[in-house]
Amino acid sequence: MLDQPARTVPDPALDNLPISTDLSVQKTLGRPRRRGLLIAVGAALVGCAGEPRVANAPLAGGDELRVLVFRGGTAARLGHNHVLRAGDLQVSWAAAGPTLRFRLDALQIDPPALRTALGPAFSSAVDDAAREGTRANLLKALDAAAHPEVSVSTLQQVGEGPRRAVEAEIRLHGVVRRQWFVAEVDGTRARGEVVIRQSDFGVQPFTVLGGLLAVQDALIVQFELVQR
């Protein structure tokens, strides 16, 4: 899959991938009774939402890319964190390193087994209706009809041994940015993660009710690749 020369975020993590605090609630929050409840609860939750703790869930062992999206806003606890998996990931290898491509409409939304593996931050239940709502709002936010594909191309690698500094070109939402990150290399296998910001790619992070419910701008992209 995965809102700039990109502003590099220290290595700690694709309208970029705004998923909702629960994107699936966008159609229902307008109901008066629901709105009143959210406002009341939101006032009580101001300042309560902390940084999510994500388990180091193992990747599939082959080529895989997934995106972690985190809830935000003063009523963040009413929403869900989300995980997206690139369902049609294509990887090609050049001298500089791999190029990755995937379609936004092929993203797998919140696979249950993967949510479980990611630990408590993703332990809340997400039903099929919520997944479809999240998908619809995601594709709309990213203008997937006009920009259906995401690509990541390696430009250069710096270093030797198991840890490499990698510069890549990321194309998302019709915007191209360069970003550095660290990858772990073990023989023909490479894995790592990078933080990107939706706003860097011209995407407005999802928000409703004046920010009561929102998606955090920063996303964590995790990957594992095997050279064949």
Side-chain angles (χ1 to χ4, degrees):
M1 265 135 200
L2 57 311
D3 90 336
Q4 313 159 47
R7 292 192 292 273
T8 303
V9 180
D11 175 44
L14 258 159
D15 109 58
N16 288 8
L17 295 174
I19 325 318
S20 77
T21 168
D22 193 348
L23 280 181
S24 61
V25 303
Q26 186 175 19
K27 296 182 179 179
T28 62
L29 287 178
R31 299 173 185 171
R33 294 178 61 188
R34 180 64 167 169
R35 183 185 297 271
L37 172 62
L38 289 178
I39 293 175
V41 175
L45 291 178
V46 173
C48 291
E51 291 297 319
R53 295 183 179 181
V54 181
N56 187 22
L59 293 170
D63 292 339
E64 178 158 333
L65 181 146
R66 64 193 184 202
V67 182
L68 308 183
V69 186
F70 298 103
R71 58 192 176 182
T74 55
R77 292 184 181 180
L78 295 176
H80 302 285
N81 297 322
H82 294 278
V83 56
L84 316 175
R85 173 185 277 153
D88 68 336
L89 181 62
Q90 301 176 41
V91 183
S92 59
W93 291 81
T99 293
L100 293 67
R101 299 180 183 277
F102 60 91
R103 290 184 58 89
L104 294 170
D105 58 9
L107 285 170
Q108 299 171 5
I109 310 296
D110 289 316
L114 185 50
R115 288 185 65 82
T116 298
L118 286 169
F122 293 83
S123 62
S124 59
V126 178
D127 60 25
D128 290 341
R131 286 189 184 88
E132 288 309 308
T134 297
R135 179 186 301 280
N137 289 309
L138 168 65
L139 296 180
K140 179 180 179 181
L142 290 172
D143 194 9
H147 309 289
E149 188 176 77
V150 178
S151 67
V152 182
S153 302
T154 304
L155 299 177
Q156 62 175 315
Q157 299 183 43
V158 177
E160 299 180 7
R163 290 178 63 83
R164 311 280 177 86
V166 179
E167 183 184 23
E169 181 180 85
I170 303 171
R171 183 182 298 271
L172 170 68
H173 194 232
V175 177
V176 179
R177 300 289 184 186
R178 292 185 173 190
Q179 184 151 347
W180 285 89
F181 56 93
V182 174
E184 298 281 347
V185 179
D186 182 8
T188 59
R189 187 179 300 275
R191 64 188 305 161
E193 62 182 32
V194 58
V195 177
I196 65 171
R197 295 187 179 276
Q198 301 179 60
S199 55
D200 290 349
F201 292 88
V203 177
Q204 177 65 44
F206 180 83
T207 182
V208 293
L209 297 180
L212 189 64
L213 291 172
V215 167
Q216 293 186 31
D217 192 16
L219 310 172
I220 301 177
V221 182
Q222 300 177 325
F223 63 89
E224 178 173 320
L225 308 173
V226 179
Q227 186 171 11
R228 297 175 175 83

